[in-house]
Amino acid sequence: MGEARSGPPLARGALDRAAHRRTDADWLAEAWTRSRVLVVDDGHVLVRGDDPPDLVLIDPADAPQGERFFLGEDTDGSVYFAVAADVTVLPGTRRVNLRQIGHSLPDLPAGLFITAVGLANWHSRHPYSPLSGKLTVPAHAGWVRTTEDGTETLWPRTDPAVIMLVHDGVEGPGGCCLLGCNAQWPAAGGIRRYSTLAGFVEPGESAEMAVAREVLEEVGVVVGEVTYVASQPWPFPGSLMLGFHATAKVGAAIEVDTEEILEGRWFSRSEIAGVLRGDSRAFGLPFPASIAYYLITEWLG
C-alpha cells in the first residue's frame, strides 16, 4: 500500500534538488553515467505494477535521445535525470499520466514525476525567446534556457491559479458545498462530473481577491471568509494551484457563466459521501490526484 500522508497528493517530494550542481558540468557528466533516468513523453511515463505502481527508471546507456534534465539526488546518493522523448511500452509496463496515478505514488516517485513533467512542458513551450524571437537552448542541467549567443536567459515560470471549495459553513451532513460542471467536460456514461471552481490570478490582484472574483464571475455568488488550505503544483501547462475554502450564504442563488460553466449546484455532505463510498452514481467528482478532490474531502471531514 502507499504510505500514509497528509496534504494534497502532488504537493510531495523526497528529493534534494541540489541546485548547486546545475552549473557543475564535470559533476553532471559523471553523475549521468550512474544515474537513474525517467523518460517523459507528453506528460506520460512508464510504470510497472500497482498499489503503488513503480516508475520505470532506466540506465543512462539505454536512455533515448532528447533534452536532459537533472532532477536531483536521493538521501542515499542516487542521482536522477529525466529525458523528454518518446517512450516505448515494454512488456509488463503501461503508459500513464499524473491524473491516473499521481495520488497513489510514494513521495519520491511522485516528486520525480511532477518535476520531470513540469520541466518538460516548460521547455517545450519556450523554443524561442519571447523578447527577441531568438532560438533558445537548455542550460544549467535543464533549469534554464538561453539564446545561443548567451545574451538572454529564461527561467521556468509558474503561473499562480486559485482553486476554491465554496461552502455554506454549516456543520454536519446537511452542510453544502457548491460545485460546477465545466462546459468542456464530456459526460461519462451520461453522468456529469462536478468539481471546485478555479481560475488564474490576474495582474494587480491577491489570491484572495481572485477567489472572490472568480466565484462571482462563474456562478454569480458572493463569498465572505476566504481561507487558505494548501497548494499543489499542476504542470498542465505550468501552474501552482493555491487551494482555498470560501463561505457563502446558505442556499445562495447560482447564476452560471455558460461559456465556462455548464451547471452549478449545491451538494450536501451526505450526497458527496455517498458518491465517494460508491453508494451513488448520480454525479462524478474530481480524480483523486487533484487538489480539488483534496479540498472536497477535507471539507467532508
Side-chain angles (χ1 to χ4, degrees):
M1 295 291 291
E3 65 217 50
R5 53 180 176 260
S6 60
L10 299 181
R12 299 180 285 119
L15 193 68
D16 179 359
R17 297 193 173 205
H20 63 289
R21 301 290 197 188
R22 296 172 186 171
T23 56
D24 188 339
D26 292 338
W27 185 90
L28 289 167
E30 185 278 328
W32 168 255
T33 64
R34 56 183 172 86
S35 68
R36 305 181 73 191
V37 181
L38 179 65
V39 181
V40 182
D41 178 7
D42 190 27
H44 294 72
V45 300
L46 295 183
V47 296
R48 293 188 181 92
D50 290 292
D51 201 23
D54 293 321
L55 295 184
V56 174
L57 298 166
I58 63 176
D59 292 333
D62 300 323
Q65 294 296 314
E67 291 188 347
R68 185 186 303 176
F69 320 126
F70 169 60
L71 300 180
E73 298 178 274
D74 198 354
T75 53
D76 65 2
S78 297
V79 179
Y80 298 89
F81 282 80
V83 171
D86 294 339
V87 297
T88 301
V89 179
L90 306 170
T93 72
R94 64 187 190 280
R95 184 176 182 268
V96 297
N97 60 33
L98 276 165
R99 292 179 176 87
Q100 294 169 293
I101 67 159
H103 60 288
S104 63
L105 291 173
D107 288 355
L108 176 61
L112 291 172
F113 195 169
I114 198 164
T115 302
V117 171
L119 280 173
N121 285 352
W122 177 74
H123 280 278
S124 70
R125 299 195 313 277
H126 292 84
Y128 298 96
S129 165
L131 300 176
S132 65
K134 293 180 179 178
L135 184 69
T136 64
V137 294
H140 294 191
W143 287 90
V144 304
R145 291 187 74 89
T146 65
T147 53
E148 292 181 308
D149 59 10
T151 59
E152 298 176 54
T153 302
L154 308 177
W155 286 268
R157 291 290 183 265
T158 297
D159 297 320
V162 292
I163 183 165
M164 45 280 180
L165 180 70
V166 179
H167 62 85
D168 59 13
V170 175
E171 299 292 334
C176 293
C177 69
L178 193 166
L179 303 178
C181 176
N182 192 290
Q184 298 182 7
W185 293 342
I191 300 173
R192 286 183 176 176
R193 176 164 61 93
Y194 294 83
S195 185
T196 53
L197 306 177
F200 286 103
V201 180
E202 293 186 345
E205 175 175 70
S206 70
E208 291 81 2
M209 291 166 63
V211 168
R213 174 184 55 78
E214 286 286 349
V215 174
L216 187 61
E217 289 177 355
E218 293 189 353
V219 293
V221 171
V222 176
V223 298
E225 183 180 9
V226 176
T227 306
Y228 173 75
V229 178
S231 65
Q232 171 167 294
W234 190 244
F236 303 105
S239 301
L240 178 65
M241 306 302 296
L242 306 172
F244 292 86
H245 283 175
T247 57
K249 290 183 178 180
V250 175
I254 296 171
E255 185 176 348
V256 300
D257 171 8
T258 54
E259 288 189 7
E260 291 191 50
I261 306 297
L262 189 64
E263 182 187 11
R265 282 181 54 192
W266 289 98
F267 295 87
S268 70
R269 277 192 177 87
S270 296
E271 290 177 288
I272 298 290
V275 168
L276 289 176
R277 288 194 306 264
D279 298 340
S280 168
R281 296 187 69 249
F283 55 91
L285 288 171
F287 45 87
S290 66
I291 190 172
Y293 184 92
Y294 176 77
L295 292 172
I296 292 170
T297 54
E298 279 291 290
W299 167 79
L300 188 66

